[in-house]
Amino acid sequence: MATYESLVFTVKRLSPELICPEKPTPREYKLLSDIDDQETCRFQVPIIQFYQKKNSVVDVLKMDPVKVIREALSKTLVFYYPFAGRLREGAGRKLAVDCTGEGVLFIEADADVTLEQFGDALYPPFPCAEELLFDVPGSAEILNTPLLLIQVTRLKCGGFILALRHNHTICDAAGFVQFMTALGEIARGASVPSIHPVWQRELLNARDPPNITCTHREYDDVADMKETMIPIAEIVQRSFFFGPAEILAMRRLVPPQFCKCSTFEVLTAFLWRSRSRSLELDPEEEVRLLCVINARGNFNPSLPLGYYGNAFAFPAALTTAGKLCQSPIGYALDLVMKTKQVFSEEYMKSVADLMVTRGRPHFTVVRTFFVSDLTRAGFGSVDLGWGRPAYGGPARGGSVNSFYIPFKNKKGEKGIVVPVWLPESAMEKFALQLGMLKNNDQLVTENTSLAIKSAL
């Protein structure tokens, strides 16, 4: 049997087709919010879900995942009809969905591989990922193309892989999980989603007149951006597993005053410092940490249940590479915790105002580490009629961002997998940093090094 790293297989695909809403839907022009249409969100997000075969032979014969999902998708688009439209750009780079009902891209496929051949540890990067989510020529553009691409690939074992790619301007992780949950409910026989989708993008629009009231170092204009970008060809991706032993080893290095810090905070502090050390940056250079924070519960009143637009911000922690890399971990941890504390409803409004004032900029990517916690997003709970997926979540990471993905290893331990992208030389240093957590120049635990190596 091929190992996970060397697994190669063939995928046979039919021609892409457009799936339209099952019933007529409103023909209208729906503006996005000023959080939706910032440059940061103008990209395609790949998601992948691995499902095991049905236990019953009768179920296997009756339920073709391609047929079930295709039909459910058409019904779900009646409720989420903006997905069947096309994105347009107007004055001031303002984005809107032209609800044309043209449909979303759908690909039927078969692969000569079993789910078992992927191994016990399903996590990014996945072998032959480009075959499991085929990039239909021209479909990756942000404007005037389908807003959703879905490929359903049957496996030899009776399981299947559902791969999706959505335009981030339409929704964030929470919003897309809401859509996928509705798809699953309808695939299992429901006539309507349990949560009705809510548009109301005006709730996250800029004020009139705009009034930037908060400091937003995440959108600083760094002059040497082009000169410091790392070529994609030089970057490699690995995933690292952090279970109870690894988190405990990190917590042992945390000063007493931070004993109540969350797992997210302590893990982020260690990853940020280790990543910066591995890149061997000039000590005087600025480095940034951006933590994605879901705003849904930070509004008064809260955003309506069913709101599926982008509702997040990412306040920045800022320091110098020298200070971050040379200081005890408490320094980085304090910055992480303070970054989260500045977030508020006013902060979100200030971001929206900045967008219309400064032309909807992208966040600063130079020497930036961008972290998004997906451990509670819900990708792993999407049931299409085959139960929960063996893996559900991002198909890959990015050059400056990492996702925290819930994961259970082959020993049954629950933890977090973090995909990381770095230049190859820096990746080796990064793995060594994580594998050698030090306390008074001594290894904290041998298990930490071994566990991390096993996830490579």
Side-chain angles (χ1 to χ4, degrees), residues 276-297:
S276 299
R277 284 176 171 176
S278 72
L279 290 169
E280 298 182 342
L281 303 170
D282 186 311
E284 299 304 315
E285 289 184 325
E286 287 184 338
V287 290
R288 284 174 177 75
L289 170 73
L290 275 54
C291 297
V292 174
I293 301 178
N294 189 335
R296 284 168 171 77

Side-chain angles (χ1 to χ4, degrees), residues 4 40 55 66 83 85 87 115 117 142 204 208 240 259 277 311 316 335 356 370 375 385 414 422 424 448 452:
Y4 184 82
T40 296
N55 292 326
V66 170
F83 269 116
L87 202 62
L115 185 59
Q117 286 178 268
I142 298 302
L204 291 180
D208 187 15
F240 297 83
C259 63
R277 284 176 171 176
L335 288 174
V356 300
F370 187 101
T375 56
K414 291 183 178 180
L422 282 170
E424 189 167 6
T448 299
I452 291 174

Side-chain angles (χ1 to χ4, degrees), residues 206-383:
R207 293 170 286 203
D208 187 15
N211 183 22
I212 304 173
T213 55
C214 301
T215 302
H216 299 285
R217 300 301 304 274
E218 62 269 32
Y219 295 105
D220 282 353
D221 185 9
V222 179
D224 59 346
M225 183 176 293
K226 292 183 179 179
E227 286 72 20
T228 57
M229 291 297 292
I230 302 169
I232 292 294
E234 298 178 14
I235 293 178
V236 296
Q237 179 184 342
R238 295 185 185 177
S239 288
F240 297 83
F241 173 72
F242 300 91
E246 291 74 60
I247 299 301
L248 178 59
M250 293 178 181
R251 285 191 178 278
R252 286 176 178 166
L253 297 176
V254 171
Q257 65 266 35
F258 299 114
C259 63
K260 294 185 178 180
C261 66
S262 68
T263 296
F264 171 84
E265 290 164 343
V266 69
L267 178 57
T268 299
F270 271 96
L271 290 178
W272 185 26
R273 189 179 69 167
S274 298
R275 184 179 185 276
S276 299
R277 284 176 171 176
S278 72
L279 290 169
E280 298 182 342
L281 303 170
D282 186 311
E284 299 304 315
E285 289 184 325
E286 287 184 338
V287 290
R288 284 174 177 75
L289 170 73
L290 275 54
C291 297
V292 174
I293 301 178
N294 189 335
R296 284 168 171 77
N298 287 276
F299 277 72
N300 187 19
S302 297
L303 293 176
L305 180 67
Y307 185 89
Y308 64 104
N310 290 283
F312 67 89
F314 31 84
L318 183 69
T319 184
T320 63
K323 185 72 172 175
L324 176 65
C325 296
Q326 296 165 18
S327 298
I329 195 59
Y331 175 74
L333 184 54
D334 184 52
L335 288 174
V336 174
M337 297 176 73
K338 287 179 178 177
T339 298
K340 294 178 65 179
Q341 291 167 5
V342 306
F343 189 76
S344 64
E345 179 176 350
E346 179 59 32
Y347 195 93
M348 284 295 295
K349 292 178 178 178
S350 183
V351 171
D353 294 341
L354 182 148
M355 288 299 122
V356 300
T357 303
R358 290 183 47 191
R360 313 183 192 283
H362 197 288
F363 68 80
T364 303
V365 298
V366 178
R367 296 180 295 276
T368 293
F369 183 41
F370 187 101
V371 177
S372 182
D373 184 4
L374 298 180
T375 56
R376 296 180 178 87
F379 289 107
S381 299
V382 176
D383 183 357

